[in-house]
Amino acid sequence: MRRLLGRPTSTPASTPASTPASTSAPGSAPVPARVGGTQASAPVPVFTADFGSTAQWVAGRSWAYPNGGPTNPGDNKLDYLVSDASFSRTGTFRATRRPDGKWNTGLLTTEGSSEGFMVRTGDVLESRVRLPSALGAWPAIWTWLDGDNEIDVFEYHPDNPDLLELSNHVKGSSHYHRDPAIGPGRWVDLKVEFGSRSVVWWVNGKQVFADRRGVGRRWRAYLIVNLSVCAGRYHPAPDRDVSAMSYEVAYLRVIRP
């Protein structure tokens, strides 16, 4: 979730055909395909997010921020990370305006938790999110380790309402995915395979980008889920009359084939 992905996105790369908006229940899981007339067993996740678990997640600090937080003005963010459970541990990631002009923001990371879960090469991450509506909102699911190893499962800015930003900072690739099924307040299904030779993204069940660069054989990283707030350099800051914003994560799981 670096600053370079906050640059204006008025001229994105070409994109595949659009996919229909998702209409299934927010927390519903995909139904396993049938093989030979019988229903195939679904892979068992090695990690299923329980955002309320203090063993899985640390709230309100991350070494992806200078000195672990709470602020990160160098990335043109108004964030002031808070550990208050109401900002992240319900699965709704919130931000509220502060008197000093910054925003209290919710962030969870597996880094520093007692379980210390890390994704690694070959893993597949699946999630379902409801995108925010307020200008200035900057939601993301991403990975991080020791100042690097960053893969952005997604980033979103409501001023580009139909666009998701998908990035591999490990090997330097990115893609702007436009789709009329994407929009403020919409539910979006996400899937990413962290392949050694190619990181592959699916949106609403359709493959939309394979970077053919991958993460390498020994890659691993912690998970971060958060809502940042833009300071206005690359995307609009929140309107002055807006004091709160949020987005939702219905589920997040990691499958290890």
Side-chain angles (χ1 to χ4, degrees):
M1 192 175 173
R2 298 180 185 176
R3 182 173 53 194
L4 72 89
L5 261 279
R7 64 186 183 275
T9 53
S10 58
T11 310
S14 60
T15 55
S18 63
T19 55
S22 179
T23 57
S24 59
S28 64
V31 177
R34 290 185 175 274
V35 179
T38 61
Q39 186 165 289
S41 60
V44 178
V46 295
F47 180 85
T48 300
D50 175 359
F51 295 125
S53 170
T54 57
Q56 280 191 0
W57 301 94
V58 170
R61 70 174 188 271
S62 169
W63 290 107
Y65 282 54
N67 301 312
T71 62
N72 190 5
D75 273 355
N76 202 234
K77 297 177 180 179
L78 296 174
D79 303 15
Y80 193 97
L81 300 180
V82 295
S83 59
D84 185 331
S86 68
F87 280 79
S88 58
R89 291 201 178 274
T90 65
T92 296
F93 291 77
R94 301 174 52 238
T96 59
R97 191 186 294 271
R98 295 164 52 96
D100 62 6
K102 297 188 183 302
W103 285 65
N104 290 333
T105 56
L107 177 148
L108 293 178
T109 178
T110 57
E111 182 178 16
S113 68
S114 60
E115 292 186 5
F117 178 79
M118 285 191 276
V119 287
R120 67 191 193 194
T121 301
D123 283 355
V124 176
L125 182 149
E126 298 177 339
S127 188
R128 182 169 172 81
V129 304
R130 187 175 187 178
L131 301 172
S133 299
L135 289 179
W138 185 355
I141 298 174
W142 46 306
T143 69
W144 185 262
L145 177 65
D146 297 334
D148 203 353
N149 284 18
E150 181 180 348
I151 302 293
D152 296 330
V153 173
F154 91 103
E155 297 180 79
Y156 180 72
H157 300 278
D159 58 300
N160 289 305
D162 63 347
L163 184 148
L164 296 180
E165 301 177 9
L166 318 172
S167 298
N168 175 354
H169 293 283
V170 179
K171 296 291 183 72
S173 67
S174 63
H175 176 66
Y176 294 140
H177 174 62
R178 285 194 184 274
D179 191 324
I182 297 164
R186 294 281 189 90
W187 285 100
V188 178
D189 293 313
L190 303 165
K191 177 181 174 182
V192 178
E193 180 181 356
F194 304 103
S196 62
R197 296 185 178 182
S198 186
V199 180
V200 185
W201 282 260
W202 288 259
V203 175
N204 290 334
K206 180 177 181 179
Q207 183 178 316
V208 299
F209 180 46
D211 70 2
R212 298 184 181 181
R213 297 193 180 183
V215 293
R217 295 175 60 187
R218 300 183 182 277
W219 176 84
R220 59 178 186 163
Y222 296 106
L223 291 170
I224 299 176
V225 184
N226 76 307
L227 176 61
S228 283
V229 180
C230 297
R233 185 183 306 165
Y234 307 105
H235 293 271
D239 293 335
R240 292 185 178 183
D241 61 347
V242 174
S243 60
M245 59 183 67
S246 66
Y247 91 105
E248 300 175 51
V249 182
Y251 64 81
L252 186 157
R253 55 180 169 251
V254 177
I255 297 165
R256 187 163 291 162

